[in-house]
Amino acid sequence: MSVYGLSGKHVELKTETETTSPLRCGTMTGQNRHLATGDFDGQLQIWDTQRFDIPLVSFKAHESIINAIDNFNQPKEPQELVTGSRDGLVKVWDTRQSEKAVLTITPNKSKDIWAVTFGQLRGQKVIAVGYEDGDIKLFDVAGSNYLWQTHVKDGVCSIEFNKDQLLVSTISGAYLIEIETGKIIEIPLITKENTTLWSVRHIPQQSNYCTIAGGDGNLSTFNLQQPLTEPTNVLKLSKHPIISLDWHKDKKGLFTCSSFDQSIKIGIFQKI
């Protein structure tokens, strides 16, 4: 696990460490700049990104691999984490007392969870959950019940809230889902058949744009306020699948992504 810093046009290694088990997912926990990770043994760990010699918190959170993790960081709200695992459970953790889940969502039938994310609906905290079989559920935390369930083709690789919509990418496609109703709109992509769409992220400063990272090595950007007939921009970055993507929260157009060739790429869209 490594932390890099951007110095001019160069990327510099700041700190790194080896973990006892391979990591599967990670998220920043909020204003403290701590990093929370989930691994193949079901461990949840929180790290200080300035020093990696030992985790601040480390415990067994799930009985199997933690596939997905996200944070909830709002003013006057406790910093929380949500995790989803192959054991079929979704758990919510308060970072102030992190070794005991404050909420465990138990399914009627256990199946592999591939994606989880926090969001808000009408001012209330909700969790979107994506499964290996294409099921997507929206859970109301305060009411402790599912608001709706829908289904897309194939397993859910990535899921993200964008105002009143969910952005979803799967093994074979990408979708917009209306949060209020669960109505699905498919995003057409110009990709090779059987291309996995690993990640979808909206641009924070212009939420009407979203970009999809594909198994064909492309970043495909769409304007969600226009008819979704084709992407407004397709950027070929790698001969290998791009498996993760993130946008800078302050600098408009600045992004980073990683691919199966074990490379990290940083770029900027100057015209959006």
Side-chain angles (χ1 to χ4, degrees):
M1 179 168 57
S2 307
V3 173
Y4 292 88
L6 186 61
S7 177
K9 294 183 179 180
H10 301 281
V11 175
E12 297 179 349
L13 177 64
K14 297 297 185 181
T15 182
E16 66 179 350
T17 189
E18 292 187 7
T19 57
T20 56
S21 177
L23 300 180
R24 178 65 178 86
C25 55
T27 186
M28 303 305 294
T29 64
Q31 297 177 354
N32 292 329
R33 308 311 300 170
H34 290 165
L35 174 67
T37 59
D39 68 20
F40 277 67
D41 289 336
Q43 292 184 107
L44 176 59
Q45 296 177 308
I46 298 177
W47 307 80
D48 183 346
T49 56
Q50 300 301 313
R51 46 180 301 179
F52 271 166
D53 52 342
I54 189 171
L56 302 172
V57 175
S58 180
F59 62 94
K60 183 82 166 179
H62 289 270
E63 293 304 315
S64 187
I65 178 175
I66 300 175
N67 284 318
I69 189 171
D70 193 28
N71 77 86
F72 186 80
N73 182 36
Q74 296 292 331
K76 300 181 181 180
E77 294 277 352
Q79 290 186 9
E80 292 182 334
L81 300 169
V82 60
T83 54
S85 168
R86 184 180 291 169
D87 63 15
L89 299 180
V90 175
K91 295 185 179 183
V92 176
W93 313 86
D94 187 330
T95 57
R96 299 169 300 180
Q97 48 180 14
S98 52
E99 294 194 24
K100 183 178 181 181
V102 297
L103 174 67
T104 299
I105 305 172
T106 305
N108 293 328
K109 182 181 179 182
S110 179
K111 53 186 175 181
D112 200 347
I113 296 168
W114 284 6
V116 292
T117 187
F118 273 122
Q120 289 186 306
L121 175 62
R122 298 189 295 274
Q124 298 297 314
K125 190 189 306 179
V126 292
I127 298 170
V129 186
Y131 293 86
E132 61 175 333
D133 60 356
D135 279 353
I136 298 173
K137 299 180 181 182
L138 188 68
F139 187 85
D140 177 17
V141 174
S144 195
N145 66 289
Y146 284 106
L147 298 176
W148 51 253
Q149 174 179 338
T150 190
H151 184 82
V152 295
K153 182 182 178 182
D154 296 321
V156 177
C157 298
S158 175
I159 191 166
E160 184 188 45
F161 283 91
N162 182 18
K163 294 186 176 179
D164 58 351
Q165 294 177 322
L166 277 175
L167 301 173
V168 177
S169 69
T170 74
I171 288 178
S172 61
Y175 306 87
L176 293 177
I177 301 179
E178 294 181 3
I179 297 175
E180 288 278 358
T181 63
K183 179 183 176 182
I184 299 174
I185 302 171
E186 186 169 2
I187 301 175
L189 287 177
I190 305 172
T191 60
K192 297 179 181 179
E193 190 175 355
N194 299 323
T195 296
T196 298
L197 305 179
W198 290 97
S199 181
V200 58
R201 293 290 182 266
H202 74 277
I203 300 176
Q205 299 83 5
Q206 276 188 273
S207 58
N208 58 302
Y209 284 91
C210 77
T211 300
I212 299 168
D216 54 3
N218 291 344
L219 293 181
S220 302
T221 301
F222 288 82
N223 186 340
L224 303 178
Q225 293 180 346
Q226 296 180 356
L228 296 174
T229 54
E230 61 181 7
T232 59
N233 181 276
V234 177
L235 181 62
K236 181 69 174 179
L237 282 183
S238 177
K239 296 180 181 180
H240 302 271
I242 299 175
I243 56 174
S244 67
L245 167 69
D246 200 15
W247 294 97
H248 198 281
K249 299 297 186 291
D250 300 315
K251 179 64 175 178
K252 180 182 175 182
L254 183 64
F255 71 90
T256 183
C257 61
S258 63
S259 57
F260 273 167
D261 61 2
Q262 297 184 359
S263 69
I264 299 172
K265 294 178 173 63
I266 297 174
I268 189 167
F269 283 87
Q270 294 182 325
K271 295 181 180 180
I272 300 177

